[in-house]
Amino acid sequence: MRAAVTLLAGASSTPADVSAPFLIDTDCGLDDLSTLAIAIGLAEPPALITTCSGLAPPGHGHLLAGRLLSSLTTIGLPTVVAGAEEPPATVSRMKDAWELTYQERVAEVCTSLGIEHVTPAQAQVVGSAAAAADAIVDAAGAAGESGVVILALGAMTNLAAAAQRHPAAFTRSVRRIIFIAARSWLQT
């Protein structure tokens, strides 16, 4: 079961302006890839996609997101920035049994959609939280006074880095962060 938690950037508790540009920070799980496919078809697609650690093995997420988006359209593709796809050294998490078959599932989905899946030999661990943080703040700043909404679909490493590296710009230009997590992650 999934639950959504909205974290507000600022003191306002009003609903997000639906016309505000949005960014997606994703761990490239199959559900996230479905979200990207839907988002690219919106009248105002996301301005930026950043990738983080989670279901996709390090070095796979940005390639997979880029290939999926390219297969869907060639017009107005958002920039895909490889973020912190490698989990921080301090994070130790046992993967559930369903996560262990993730690569096989992604390969099947990619094949059925005619998208080349990312093999271990093609993986490129080139991203960093700093690169994603800078891209997030740049894209948010480009939105002007409306700010941006960020849909966070994985580890929030990139967002934490953006808030730490550029605190004033992040606070000023990020209107809302929508974080989606499994219910068990929200319980202590």
Side-chain angles (χ1 to χ4, degrees), residues 80-188:
V80 176
V81 175
E85 291 184 9
E86 186 79 51
T90 57
V91 173
S92 175
R93 181 175 76 84
M94 296 295 295
K95 290 199 174 221
D96 289 327
W98 67 268
E99 292 178 282
L100 298 176
T101 60
Y102 173 79
Q103 277 303 104
E104 294 169 1
R105 292 179 184 174
V106 169
E108 289 173 13
V109 168
C110 288
T111 300
S112 69
L113 295 174
I115 301 167
E116 178 189 1
H117 70 279
V118 180
T119 65
Q122 295 169 325
Q124 303 170 1
V125 181
V126 296
S128 69
D134 294 346
I136 289 166
V137 170
D138 288 347
E145 298 221 4
S146 68
V148 296
V149 173
I150 299 175
L151 180 57
L153 302 175
M156 295 182 69
T157 310
N158 297 331
L159 302 181
Q164 290 171 344
R165 290 173 60 88
H166 311 283
F170 187 82
T171 302
R172 180 178 55 253
S173 58
V174 175
R175 179 166 286 211
R176 183 170 282 194
I177 298 170
I178 301 170
F179 177 67
I180 300 173
R183 186 185 250 331
S184 62
W185 295 353
L186 300 174
Q187 297 173 347
T188 56

Side-chain angles (χ1 to χ4, degrees), residues 1-59:
M1 176 168 206
R2 291 200 164 243
V5 177
T6 301
L7 303 175
L8 300 176
S12 171
S13 62
T14 59
D17 178 1
V18 293
S19 65
F22 74 104
L23 317 177
I24 297 177
D25 188 57
T26 174
D27 69 0
C28 293
L30 288 175
D31 55 336
D32 295 9
L33 295 175
S34 298
T35 301
L36 290 178
I38 293 167
I40 198 69
L42 296 173
E44 293 294 327
L48 174 72
I49 308 293
T50 55
T51 57
C52 59
S53 66
L55 288 177

